[in-house]
Amino acid sequence: MKNTELETIEEKQISTFDRVSEVLIAIFSRPSGMIGFSIVILHIIIAIISPLIVPYDYKEINSLIMLKPPNETFFFGTDQLGRDVFTRTLMGGRIALFVTFFGTIIAIAWGGFVGIFCGLVGGKIDDIVMRIIDAFLAIPWILAMLLIVVILGTSTQVLIPALGFFYGKGIVRVARAATHDVIARDFIMAAKARGHGNFSIIWNELLPNVRDAIMVEGAMRWSWMLLAFSSLSFLGFGVSPPTPDWGLMISEGRGLMSFAYWSVIAPIVALSSLIIGINLSADAFAKALGIDRTQKAPV
Amino acid sequence: MFLLILKRLGLGLITIILVSVIIFTGVEVLPGDACTSFLEREAKGELLEICREKLGLNVPAIERYLTWSYNALNGDLGFSLSGQKPISEIISVRIRNSLVLAFTAIIIGIPLAIILGIITALWRDKLPDIFISTIAIFSMTIPEFISATILILVVAIWLNWLPGIVIVSSNTTILELLPNIILPVIAISMVMTAHMLRMVRSNIIQVLSSDYVQMAKLKGVPYWKMVFVHVLPNGLLPAINIIALTIAWLLGGVVVTEVVFNYPGLGRLVIESISDRDLPVVQALALILALIYVGVNLTADLLTLLVNPRLRTLQIRK
C-alpha cells in the first residue's frame, strides 16, 4: 500500500517537471516568445541588481549639469535637476515591478479561488458574486484606482492589495468559465460521489484543470497592472518625486521635451519594452498551453 | 425573445444600482466629508456647519444615498463645490467634447480594424499579417500616455505639423474643436483599432476552418465569393460585441489621453475633480461612466440578438 502511494507521488512529480520543461521549450521555440521572455527576464535582473551597478546616486541634484545631452559621462544625459537619466532609468522599474508582481499574485489567488468556487457551487452565491463583479467591471479602472489612491494614499502597502483586488475581477470570470468547462466531466462526479468536500474538489480536481487558463490570464493582468501603475505615476497620483519611476520620469520630462528629449526617450523605451515583453510572453505562453485568448474581452 | 430583452435590461439596471452603491460608499469612506475637504483644513465652527447644512450632510448616509439617487434619476446631479455650478451643466459640455473625440475615433477605427482584420486573416502568417499584427501588438500594449507623448514629440515638436496640446476652453463650438482633435484621435484610434483588429482576425480564422467553409471549398465555390458570402457575415457578427467592449474599455484610457493633450473632455474632468476633492462631481462622473459602459454593452447584446436569429433560441435554452 505504502509502496504504490510513493510511486504515484514520484510519477506526478516527474510529469509536472516534464510539463514545465515542455511548455518552456514551446515558448522558446517561437521567436516572439523567446524575445518576450528574454526582455522580461532582463528587466527583472536589472531591477534586482541596479542599485549595485548604477554609476551615480539617483537623487543627487546638481544645478551645474542640468539638461546635458547624452555624452560619455552621462550615457542618457541629465534631467532638469541635473540627475543622471541612465541611473534613474535603470532603477525606474524597481517599484513598478515589485508592486505589480505581488499585485498579480494576489489577483491570481483571490480571483482564481472565487472564480472556481462560484463555478463549482453555482446557484444563488454564484449569481450574487457575478453581479458584484459586473458592477466593478462597469467602473473604469482609472476612476477606481484614483479613488483608492486618494482615500488610502500611494504607499506600496496600499497599491499592492488595491491593484490585486481590482485586477482579480477579470480572473474570476476566466476561472469560472474554465471551471464550467470541466465541471460536467466524470472525474468531478466521481469525486462528489466519493464524498469529497468542496475545497478538496477545488484543490485536487479543479485547480489542476483550470490552472493554465488562470496563469495565462494572470500574465495579461500583470501587463495591465503595470500600465495602471505607471499611468497613476504619470498623472501625479503614484509614487512621490525623488523616487525613480518611469511614469513619473516621463511626466517630469514631458514639459521640457522640445529641447531635452533624452530625459523622456529612455524611460519610454524601458517601460514600453517591459510591457511588450510581458505581452509577447503571455501570448507565447497561451499558445504553448493551447489557449486562444484573443477572443477574450480586454476588460 | 421579449423576455430575454427584459432580462438583459434588468441585469443592466442591477449593475447600475450596485455601481452607485459602490461609488457612494467609496466616496463616503474618504477622510472628512465634502465640506471639510473643500473648505480646506482651517474650516471650523460656523462656516462648516453652514456648508454641511447647505449640502445636507447632517443626515444619515442611507438617507443621503436615497435622495442623491432619486435626484440623479430626475437628471439633477447636485452642485459642484469648486465651480458652484450645477453638475449637469458642467458635465454636459464635457460629454459633448468627449463624444466628438470618441465618435471620430470610432468612425476611423472600426472600418480600419475590420479591413485590416480581414487582410490579416486571409493572408494568415504571410508577410501582410506579420507586418500588421506586429504593429498592432505595439500600439495596443504601449500605455496611452506613452503613445500620446511620442506623437506630440514627433508630430508637434520635431516635424512641427500640428499643435501639440489643445488650448480651447471647454465650451467652444464643435467646428472650432475639430482641428484640435487630430492627434488625440490618432492616439485613441490606434489602441482601439489594434484591439478590434486582433479579434476580427481570430474570428475570421475560426470561420475559415469551419465545416461549412470547407464544404463550400469542396463544392468549388470561387474563393472571393466564398469569402464574401460565407466567411465575412459569420466572421464579423461577433465583432459587434467586441466593438462594444473595446469602447467601454477605452473609457479608462481616454482619461489619460485627454490629460496628455489637455483636451477638455470627461476624462480631464475626472482628474480635475479628484485633485480638487470635488466629491459630488466624482460621484456623478462615476455614475455616468458606468451608465455608458452598461448602455454600450446592452446595445451590443441587443444588436447581436437582432441580426443573429440563432442566438435567440440558444440564449433561452441556456
Side-chain angles (χ1 to χ4, degrees):
Chain A
M1 192 62 198
K2 219 172 187 176
N3 217 355
T4 50
E5 224 174 73
L6 266 177
E7 260 169 36
T8 52
I9 288 170
E10 221 166 56
E11 208 175 279
K12 205 176 166 187
Q13 275 172 346
I14 291 168
S15 67
T16 336
F17 178 76
D18 277 353
R19 187 161 157 66
V20 169
S21 52
E22 202 177 279
V23 168
L24 276 180
I25 289 168
I27 289 174
F28 275 92
S29 61
R30 290 170 179 279
S32 65
M34 199 175 73
I35 296 170
F37 239 72
S38 318
I39 294 174
V40 175
I41 288 171
L42 185 71
H43 267 291
I44 292 173
I45 293 173
I46 290 178
I48 292 169
I49 63 165
S50 60
L52 305 172
I53 57 164
V54 290
Y56 300 98
D57 183 4
Y58 70 86
K59 55 180 190 300
E60 192 186 297
I61 294 173
N62 188 344
S63 54
L64 294 174
I65 47 165
M66 287 191 309
L67 296 171
K68 285 266 178 285
N71 53 40
E72 56 271 21
T73 35
F74 304 104
F75 303 124
F76 293 169
T78 55
D79 67 1
Q80 71 283 0
L81 295 173
R83 297 172 297 193
D84 180 34
V85 176
F86 180 66
T87 303
R88 291 176 65 76
T89 307
L90 281 193
M91 295 184 73
R94 284 169 63 85
I95 293 186
L97 272 172
F98 177 78
V99 167
T100 52
F101 183 78
F102 286 101
T104 311
I105 290 177
I106 291 177
I108 289 179
W110 90 261
F113 176 74
V114 171
I116 297 175
F117 186 76
C118 285
L120 179 65
V121 296
K124 277 237 167 59
I125 298 176
D126 183 35
D127 273 345
I128 293 171
V129 173
M130 289 324 283
R131 286 294 80 74
I132 295 174
I133 298 284
D134 276 350
F136 272 104
L137 282 172
I139 305 173
W141 59 267
I142 189 103
L143 195 69
M145 293 317 297
L146 285 173
L147 263 182
I148 289 174
V149 165
V150 168
I151 295 170
L152 299 168
T154 57
S155 57
T156 42
Q157 299 101 292
V158 172
L159 278 175
I160 292 175
L163 285 166
F165 171 73
F166 196 73
Y167 282 82
K169 63 192 174 12
I171 297 180
V172 172
R173 293 191 132 191
V174 173
R176 180 171 169 271
T179 307
H180 278 169
D181 285 345
V182 289
I183 198 88
R185 299 262 200 86
D186 289 343
F187 59 87
I188 306 285
M189 305 290 262
K192 276 184 184 162
R194 285 199 302 273
H196 285 210
N198 276 344
F199 291 97
S200 161
I201 294 180
I202 289 178
W203 189 254
N204 295 317
E205 317 288 340
L206 288 171
L207 194 62
N209 283 293
V210 301
R211 190 184 49 200
D212 292 354
I214 295 178
M215 295 293 282
V216 168
E217 197 57 29
M220 281 325 280
R221 301 283 144 180
W222 186 18
S223 84
W224 288 337
M225 259 186 220
L226 206 58
L227 194 152
F229 180 86
S230 33
S231 298
L232 282 180
S233 303
F234 177 81
L235 294 171
F237 289 92
V239 291
S240 34
T243 325
D245 179 82
W246 296 325
L248 196 62
M249 287 170 73
I250 296 170
S251 93
E252 283 174 349
R254 202 164 62 93
L256 300 160
M257 70 183 172
S258 48
F259 49 92
Y261 57 89
W262 52 86
S263 61
V264 190
I265 296 279
I268 281 182
V269 171
L271 180 55
S272 317
S273 67
L274 176 56
I275 291 187
I276 289 171
I278 294 177
N279 271 282
L280 288 179
S281 327
D283 269 0
F285 192 38
K287 277 177 188 147
L289 295 171
I291 295 168
D292 176 26
R293 67 161 312 287
T294 42
Q295 283 290 325
K296 300 273 155 52
V299 193
Chain B
M1 176 71 182
F2 185 69
L3 263 178
L4 195 61
I5 293 175
L6 220 61
K7 198 183 154 203
R8 287 283 161 88
L9 283 174
L11 286 182
L13 198 68
I14 292 174
T15 310
I16 293 287
I17 293 172
L18 275 176
V19 168
S20 71
V21 173
I22 292 170
I23 292 295
F24 192 84
T25 352
V27 170
E28 202 60 28
V29 295
L30 268 173
D33 56 35
C35 279
T36 50
S37 52
F38 174 62
L39 294 169
E40 304 292 332
R41 302 278 175 275
E42 65 261 29
K44 50 185 179 288
E46 218 172 314
L47 207 59
L48 198 62
E49 278 312 309
I50 294 170
C51 174
R52 283 195 173 143
E53 192 79 42
K54 204 171 124 202
L55 289 171
L57 285 182
N58 34 19
V59 291
I62 298 174
E63 220 170 287
R64 253 183 303 138
Y65 171 72
L66 289 177
T67 34
W68 174 66
S69 43
Y70 177 76
N71 287 337
L73 272 180
N74 293 324
D76 173 19
L77 293 161
F79 274 82
S80 111
L81 295 177
S82 45
Q84 295 295 337
K85 276 197 282 187
I87 293 175
S88 42
E89 201 175 290
I90 303 173
I91 287 184
S92 57
V93 183
R94 298 302 191 100
I95 286 187
R96 192 207 63 186
N97 292 350
S98 280
L99 280 183
V100 171
L101 199 63
F103 267 115
T104 327
I106 289 170
I107 289 169
I108 296 171
I110 291 179
L112 198 65
I114 291 177
I115 293 170
L116 291 178
I118 293 170
I119 292 176
T120 48
L122 293 185
W123 281 274
R124 187 186 178 187
D125 291 332
K126 303 252 169 54
L127 204 61
D129 176 30
I130 294 171
F131 184 69
I132 296 173
S133 293
T134 314
I135 293 180
I137 287 187
F138 270 84
S139 66
M140 69 185 261
T141 47
I142 293 176
E144 289 87 357
F145 67 91
I146 286 190
S147 43
T149 307
I150 294 176
L151 270 178
I152 293 180
L153 184 64
V154 175
V155 179
I157 295 177
W158 286 350
L159 299 174
N160 228 335
W161 282 351
L162 292 165
I165 54 167
V166 183
I167 15 174
V168 288
S169 63
S170 50
N171 41 12
T172 42
T173 58
I174 292 181
L175 274 180
E176 278 179 81
L177 213 57
L178 277 178
N180 288 295
I181 63 172
I182 299 173
L183 281 187
V185 162
I186 294 176
I188 291 174
S189 48
M190 246 169 61
V191 190
M192 196 172 71
T193 311
H195 266 294
M196 292 191 296
L197 179 164
R198 269 165 66 93
M199 296 191 231
V200 168
R201 176 180 178 269
S202 74
N203 276 334
I204 292 184
I205 286 175
Q206 229 172 32
V207 176
L208 275 176
S209 61
S210 66
D211 290 340
Y212 57 86
V213 171
Q214 297 299 327
M215 181 68 196
K217 268 187 198 162
L218 290 176
K219 265 168 59 186
V221 177
Y223 183 71
W224 287 107
K225 197 183 165 198
M226 180 200 80
V227 168
F228 281 106
V229 176
H230 295 269
V231 177
L232 292 189
N234 287 300
L236 292 181
L237 257 186
I240 297 176
N241 268 317
I242 291 161
I243 289 168
L245 281 169
T246 314
I247 292 171
W249 177 78
L250 267 177
L251 290 175
V254 169
V255 174
V256 185
T257 318
E258 283 185 1
V259 173
V260 178
F261 289 107
N262 199 35
Y263 185 82
L266 267 190
R268 220 182 75 198
L269 189 62
V270 168
I271 304 288
E272 284 167 5
S273 58
I274 285 188
S275 320
D276 292 350
R277 304 283 199 280
D278 198 339
L279 302 181
V281 181
V282 175
Q283 271 182 3
L285 278 171
L287 193 66
I288 285 176
L289 290 176
L291 261 175
I292 297 174
Y293 176 89
V294 173
V296 167
N297 275 311
L298 204 66
T299 323
D301 278 353
L302 297 183
L303 261 181
T304 339
L305 281 180
L306 215 66
V307 288
N308 192 351
R310 268 179 309 173
L311 273 181
R312 291 177 208 155
T313 45
L314 264 180
Q315 295 286 336
I316 290 167
R317 216 182 295 150
K318 204 174 173 185

